[in-house]
Amino acid sequence: QIMKSDFIEAVNGVTGSAAELMAQFTQPQVAVKILRATELQVLVENNDKKVKHGLTFPKQMKNDVLVVMDIDNDGYVKKYNDSCTQASQRIRQYDRIVSVKGQVGKAARLKSLLESTTGKFQLGIQRPCPKQLREDAGTGAPGGMFRFW
């Protein structure tokens, strides 16, 4: 089943912008490649109310997430990214911010929380499941990494 948090990677083998993918839906039959989201929590810090987060979001925000369109060179998110020892923990372009300080809500509320929060706080991030995890999921014991004991 398709879930709200899923990512559309390709439609009829076409990848690219949302407009290119949506154009494929005019065909009488479509093949859609869906990726599950993986979630991670990151701990960022902003001790100066004057310092902004440095993230750019779409002009028209939809749903219950903030999509990171760009990361500026000044801002506490860039500072956080520079301090990360693991690349997988960095906030990336096109990540979805789904919670701020453990609070969820509409995109406008998340943006407001992100702009007003100081100190150390947690961001909930969604991104497509990494290719290596997808490949590893089908290997090993029956059920791959998605088995139960």
Side-chain angles (χ1 to χ4, degrees):
Q1 277 187 324
I2 296 175
M3 298 176 5
K4 187 177 182 179
S5 60
D6 288 343
F7 290 83
I8 297 175
E9 183 174 85
V11 180
N12 291 337
V14 174
T15 60
S17 71
E20 292 170 311
L21 297 177
M22 291 303 293
Q24 293 299 310
F25 284 99
T26 60
Q27 304 297 319
Q29 187 172 0
V30 294
V32 181
K33 184 174 182 181
I34 302 286
L35 297 178
R36 289 282 185 232
T38 185
E39 294 193 23
L40 67 139
Q41 305 295 318
V42 297
L43 190 61
V44 296
E45 185 172 7
N46 179 21
N47 291 320
D48 186 352
K49 256 189 165 167
K50 295 177 186 174
V51 176
K52 304 295 181 197
H53 50 72
L55 300 176
T56 304
F57 305 112
K59 289 182 179 157
Q60 187 175 11
M61 295 180 288
K62 297 179 181 179
N63 302 323
D64 302 335
V65 298
L66 285 174
V67 179
V68 176
M69 300 307 291
D70 200 12
I71 302 171
D72 297 336
N73 282 332
D74 20 325
Y76 63 82
V77 171
K78 173 76 165 108
K79 184 178 177 183
Y80 162 79
N81 279 350
D82 290 345
S83 71
C84 285
T85 57
Q86 295 181 345
S88 64
Q89 292 296 309
R90 291 188 182 111
I91 297 171
R92 305 175 188 163
Q93 189 178 30
Y94 305 121
D95 277 353
R96 297 173 181 163
I97 297 175
V98 295
S99 67
V100 178
K101 289 179 54 175
Q103 298 181 44
V104 296
K106 299 285 183 195
R109 174 166 163 64
L110 293 173
K111 184 178 179 196
S112 175
L113 281 168
L114 192 60
E115 291 170 346
S116 63
T117 302
T118 57
K120 282 187 179 183
F121 60 97
Q122 193 173 38
L123 293 180
I125 305 286
Q126 283 182 346
R127 64 176 57 135
C129 186
K131 184 177 181 181
Q132 187 61 47
L133 279 180
R134 293 192 313 264
E135 290 171 355
D136 290 347
T139 62
M145 65 183 269
F146 300 108
R147 61 186 176 271
F148 299 98
W149 54 95

